[in-house]
Amino acid sequence: MTLSSLRNKISPKLGIQGKIFMAFGLLSLLSIVTITAIIYINMRETIKHNAITSVADSIRQADESLNLMLEEIDRLNTIAVTNKNTVIDTVLSPSEEISYEWFLEQKRINEFLSSLIDYKPYISRIAVIGLNGKVFFTGNPWIDRNFLKTETMEFMLNNGERHAYLKQSGTSDAISVGRVIRYNRETIGVVMVDLNYDFIRNTYGVKPTADSVLYVLDERMELVYRSDSAPASISPQMEKTIYANPQATGTIQEAKEQKIDGKSYIVVSRRSEHTGWITRALIPLDSLLSESVKIRNLIVEVSVIVFIAVLIGSLQMSSRTTLHIRRLKTMMMRVKDGNLSFPKTEINTKDEIGELYRVFISMVDELKRLMEDIRISEQAKHEAELTALQAQIRPHFLYNSLNTIKYLAKLNGVPNIEEVSGSLIELMRGVLGNSNEFLTVREELDYVNCYVSIVKYKYMGPIPVHIQVEDDALLDCRVLKLMLQPIVENAILHGIGPSAKGGFILIRVYGEREDLLIEIMDNGPGMSQEKMHSLLEESGRKESPSRFSGIGVRNVHERICRMYGEPYGIKLFSEEGLYTKVEIRFPQMRAAENLPEEVS
C-alpha cells in the first residue's frame, strides 16, 4: 500500500482536531528524533576526538619524558667516553686480571661509574666494555667478556657513533643506550647505559579504555614495549597494523579509524624525532563509546517522556482550539435540518472562528428574513394568480365586442369603422394574446401598419409611412416584441402632428455585417441635443410612455441593452427644423437560432 493511498484512507476520517494532533505529534517526533540523533552523533564524534587528543597528548608526553631521560643518558655516555684518565686509560691498560693494578683500576672506574648513576633510579646499569676483553660495570645484571660476542655489542659498535638505542632481547627488561669509545681514531670499546624498564612501563602506561593496547617499536621495527593488556598472540591483520612502517621521516603523528578483524579501532601513531621509535595505540571503538551508549539510552528515555508530554499537550491544545469549531458545526447541522430557531451558543473569541460565528449568525438572520419575504411573496403571488384568473374573461370579452363592432360596420357599409376595429383587434392580439417575447421584423411592421391605420383617423387624413427593406430575408429576423410601435408613435405625435400636411415617416430595414439595423425617420421639427440626451439618459426627466403600449423610447433602449448588451440599442440623430432619425441596432437572429434570455 502506497503512502498516498494510506493518506487518502486516513485523512477523510480525521477531523480538524485529529489533524492538528497528528501534525503536532509528527512534527514533535521528527524534531525530537532529529535533535537526539544530532546530539548522539556529535557526542560520539566529541568522544572520539577527545580520546584521540588525550592519547596523542599522553604519547607525546611519554615520548618527551623518554627523550629527556635518553638525553640525560647521552650526557653520561659523553662524560664516560671523553674521560681519558679513568675510562680510556683503564681500557687501554696492559694490566691483567687478578692483579693489584687491575684491582686498583677496577676500583677507580667503578667509583667513577657509580658517581655517574647515583641518585638516578631510572638507570639500572652502566658498563664499559673494551674490545680487549676488559669489562667494568655498576648495577645489574651481571655482565662479562662474553658480551663481546652478542648481537647487542655488534649493534652498539655499528650504530654507536653518537648514540644507539636498543631493546635487548632475552631476560633483561631494559633499554640500552650505547656509544663507542674512540682513541686515536680507533674504536677501543663501548660505554652502555641500561634504562630501567619500569620507567618505560610507567611512562607509556596510556590506557584510555581497559582493553586499549599500546606498542613501542624501535627503528628496526622491533618491539620495544607493549602494554600489559596486549594479547600474547595477534592475527596477521593486527600484526600488519602494529608493525606498519610510516614512509615519512622526522616527527609524525596521525590518527585514523580502522577495521581490524571485523572490529573497529582508533589507531593513533607517533614517531619520535629523537629516537626514531614509533609509538602506536589501538583503542577499541566499542569500549570507547560504551559510555555514549548509556548516554544515548538516557537521551532516548528522556525523549520518549518529552514526546508523551508533547502529545498530551497537543491533544489538550487541539481540543481547546477546535471546541468552538465543533459548536459552530452543531449549529450549522441544525440549520441544515431546517431549524433556524436553534439555541445559539455564544462564541466571543476575537479570532477567525469568532468572526466566522458572527458571519454565520448574520447569514441565518438574513436567511430567516428572506424566507419570510418569500412567504409573503408567495402569498401575494397566489392572490395575483386568483386575480388573473378572474380577469381572464376581460380580453376575450373585448375581442368578441370588437368583432361584433367590425361585423355590424361591415353589414351597415361603414368601412372606416371596420378598418379601425380590425386593426385594433390585431394590435390587442399582439399585445395581450401573444405570449412570445420575440417577434419577426415582418410581424413588427404589421403591428406598425395596424397602429397607423387606427391613428390616421385622429388627423383626418392618411399618414404616409414608407417602408424600405434591403433584403427580404431580414424580415424573418427575430427582434424583441413592440420595439417599433413606440418609436413610430413618437414620430407621429412629435414629428408629423406638429407639421400637419406634408409629413411622412420612413422605415428602413437593412443589414450591416452581422447586425440588423432599423431606422425610423420623420421630417418633423426635430429636437435639440439636450432633449435627445434626456430621452435616453436615466438621469433625465421622466419620459412619457407610449399611449398604446405604455413603453417609451428609453424603455425600448434599456430592454435591448439588457438583452444583447453593448453596442446594441437606440441612437438618435436630429437637426432642428429638418428631421429626426432613430436608429435601432439588433444582432441578426434567425427564427431557428436560440434566442438569448433577457438580463435582469
Side-chain angles (χ1 to χ4, degrees):
M1 183 180 294
T2 62
L3 181 62
S4 59
S5 61
L6 182 63
R7 182 180 60 191
N8 291 334
K9 287 187 176 182
I10 295 176
S11 296
K13 300 178 182 179
L14 291 178
I16 295 179
Q17 180 180 354
K19 291 179 180 179
I20 294 175
F21 177 72
M22 284 193 65
F24 267 88
L26 292 176
L27 182 61
S28 302
L29 180 61
L30 180 62
S31 301
I32 291 173
V33 170
T34 303
I35 294 172
T36 302
I38 292 173
I39 291 175
Y40 179 65
I41 291 173
N42 288 337
M43 181 179 63
R44 281 173 58 94
E45 294 301 321
T46 302
I47 291 174
K48 289 194 290 186
H49 179 267
N50 291 342
I52 292 171
T53 303
S54 176
V55 172
D57 289 343
S58 299
I59 292 175
R60 179 181 55 79
Q61 292 174 5
D63 195 19
E64 291 176 354
S65 298
L66 180 62
N67 290 342
L68 290 175
M69 296 302 102
L70 294 178
E71 288 175 0
E72 179 66 20
I73 293 172
D74 286 342
R75 285 195 293 271
L76 297 179
N77 284 340
T78 302
I79 293 172
V81 300
T82 56
N83 190 300
K84 183 176 182 305
N85 294 331
T86 304
V87 178
I88 296 176
D89 290 347
T90 301
V91 172
L92 296 177
S93 172
S95 60
E96 299 290 337
E97 289 187 11
I98 318 301
S99 65
Y100 179 73
E101 289 79 5
W102 175 84
F103 177 78
L104 293 176
E105 292 173 355
Q106 181 83 13
K107 181 181 178 182
R108 186 171 62 251
I109 196 170
N110 285 343
E111 290 176 353
F112 173 74
L113 295 176
S114 296
S115 66
L116 292 179
I117 65 173
D118 282 344
Y119 309 109
K120 294 180 177 60
Y122 53 86
I123 297 176
S124 60
R125 182 182 64 187
I126 183 170
V128 175
I129 303 101
L131 295 180
N132 56 6
K134 288 187 176 184
V135 177
F136 308 97
F137 70 93
T138 297
N140 293 307
W142 179 270
I143 189 174
D144 57 18
R145 63 179 59 193
N146 292 327
F147 184 78
L148 293 170
K149 300 176 181 180
T150 62
E151 293 181 0
T152 303
M153 185 65 181
E154 183 181 356
F155 179 80
M156 296 297 176
L157 290 172
N158 293 331
N159 299 281
E161 288 296 329
R162 186 167 181 271
H163 51 250
Y165 308 105
L166 177 66
K167 168 65 169 66
Q168 297 186 40
S169 59
T171 59
S172 176
D173 284 339
I175 302 298
S176 298
V177 181
R179 184 168 181 178
V180 298
I181 305 172
R182 289 183 175 276
Y183 184 72
N184 290 334
R185 297 183 180 181
E186 291 184 3
T187 301
I188 60 174
V190 172
V191 175
M192 187 176 66
V193 178
D194 291 343
L195 182 62
N196 195 326
Y197 201 71
D198 289 336
F199 175 80
I200 302 295
R201 186 178 290 107
N202 295 331
T203 302
Y204 286 97
V206 179
K207 290 181 70 66
T209 62
D211 53 354
S212 299
V213 290
L214 186 137
Y215 298 88
V216 181
L217 307 173
D218 61 17
E219 288 182 302
R220 297 184 301 171
M221 299 307 293
E222 293 183 359
L223 188 64
V224 174
Y225 167 80
R226 69 179 179 186
S227 57
D228 297 335
S229 59
S233 60
I234 57 177
S235 65
Q237 190 176 3
M238 177 72 78
E239 183 178 2
K240 181 180 179 181
T241 302
I242 296 171
Y243 290 93
N245 186 12
Q247 298 297 321
T249 59
T251 301
I252 63 164
Q253 182 170 303
E254 62 178 4
K256 60 182 178 180
E257 189 173 332
Q258 187 173 346
K259 203 171 219 34
I260 305 172
D261 298 330
K263 190 175 182 180
S264 296
Y265 288 85
I266 293 178
V267 181
V268 182
S269 302
R270 177 182 173 85
R271 185 209 294 273
S272 173
E273 185 177 9
H274 185 76
T275 62
W277 292 359
I278 297 173
T279 305
R280 185 164 285 131
L282 281 74
I283 310 167
L285 200 56
D286 293 340
S287 300
L288 182 64
L289 299 177
S290 59
E291 290 298 323
S292 69
V293 173
K294 296 179 182 178
I295 298 175
R296 179 199 63 191
N297 295 337
L298 178 61
I299 292 175
V300 170
E301 293 173 1
V302 173
S303 299
V304 170
I305 295 173
V306 171
F307 180 62
I308 293 174
V310 169
L311 287 181
I312 295 174
S314 63
L315 182 61
Q316 293 293 326
M317 186 187 70
S318 61
S319 177
R320 286 179 172 271
T321 303
T322 58
L323 175 62
H324 294 314
I325 297 178
R326 293 196 299 271
R327 291 177 177 174
L328 189 59
K329 176 187 174 184
T330 301
M331 290 186 281
M332 288 182 174
M333 294 302 293
R334 290 177 177 173
V335 172
K336 177 185 175 184
D337 295 336
N339 184 8
L340 298 181
S341 301
F342 57 89
K344 299 176 183 178
T345 304
E346 291 293 333
I347 300 176
N348 297 320
T349 58
K350 302 298 183 180
D351 54 11
E352 291 82 356
I353 298 175
E355 185 66 25
L356 183 62
Y357 166 77
R358 289 184 283 275
V359 172
F360 171 70
I361 294 300
S362 64
M363 289 175 59
V364 171
D365 294 339
E366 181 67 16
L367 182 60
K368 290 168 67 176
R369 186 189 64 79
L370 290 175
M371 291 185 68
E372 181 64 21
D373 291 346
I374 291 173
R375 187 187 63 80
I376 296 174
S377 176
E378 287 294 327
Q379 184 177 357
K381 180 180 177 182
H382 180 67
E383 294 175 356
E385 288 176 352
L386 292 177
T387 304
L389 288 173
Q390 295 172 356
Q392 279 184 353
I393 193 172
R394 296 172 187 173
H396 297 286
F397 177 76
L398 187 58
Y399 292 155
N400 294 333
S401 300
L402 289 174
N403 276 319
T404 301
I405 295 172
K406 179 181 178 182
Y407 178 71
L408 292 174
K410 184 177 181 180
L411 289 177
N412 291 282
V414 187
N416 53 352
I417 297 178
E418 180 183 0
E419 180 183 8
V420 170
S421 60
S423 298
L424 183 58
I425 289 172
E426 291 300 321
L427 277 176
M428 294 189 67
R429 182 177 289 113
V431 174
L432 301 177
N434 191 346
S435 60
N436 293 329
E437 181 72 14
F438 294 90
L439 298 175
T440 62
V441 175
R442 182 180 283 105
E443 290 172 329
E444 276 288 290
L445 292 175
D446 288 342
Y447 288 145
V448 168
N449 288 330
C450 290
Y451 174 76
V452 173
S453 297
I454 296 172
V455 78
K456 68 182 179 180
Y457 289 100
K458 174 184 177 181
Y459 298 101
M460 303 302 294
I463 298 176
V465 177
H466 305 286
I467 299 175
Q468 297 179 358
V469 180
E470 182 184 73
D471 186 356
D472 290 343
L474 297 176
L475 296 176
D476 295 324
C477 290
R478 307 278 281 181
V479 296
L480 289 172
K481 183 170 67 175
L482 294 178
M483 293 290 100
L484 299 182
Q485 183 270 332
I487 309 301
V488 172
E489 182 176 351
N490 274 289
I492 293 173
L493 291 175
H494 304 292
I496 294 179
S499 62
K501 303 295 183 179
F504 71 92
I505 295 174
L506 174 63
I507 300 176
R508 180 167 172 248
V509 180
Y510 63 97
E512 185 178 280
R513 292 188 294 275
E514 299 298 326
D515 294 340
L516 170 68
L517 280 86
I518 301 177
E519 292 181 355
I520 299 96
M521 185 175 70
D522 64 76
N523 60 344
M527 66 182 75
S528 64
Q529 291 292 329
E530 291 78 9
K531 187 173 183 180
M532 287 191 295
H533 183 74
S534 65
L535 281 176
L536 296 180
E537 287 296 324
E538 191 173 349
S539 60
R541 63 181 178 82
K542 190 171 182 65
E543 177 192 5
S544 298
S546 167
R547 288 176 172 80
F548 174 75
S549 64
I551 300 174
V553 176
R554 183 163 59 84
N555 185 278
V556 173
H557 175 68
E558 289 176 353
R559 285 191 65 200
I560 296 175
C561 289
R562 282 200 302 268
M563 180 64 67
Y564 304 109
E566 295 291 339
Y568 302 106
I570 289 178
K571 290 184 180 179
L572 297 177
F573 304 90
S574 180
E575 290 189 21
E576 292 184 309
L578 294 177
Y579 71 93
T580 298
K581 182 173 71 172
V582 179
E583 179 187 278
I584 309 175
R585 182 180 292 270
F586 300 94
Q588 290 189 26
M589 304 291 294
R590 304 294 176 178
E593 297 180 10
N594 293 327
L595 299 175
E597 295 183 0
E598 185 172 355
V599 180
S600 60

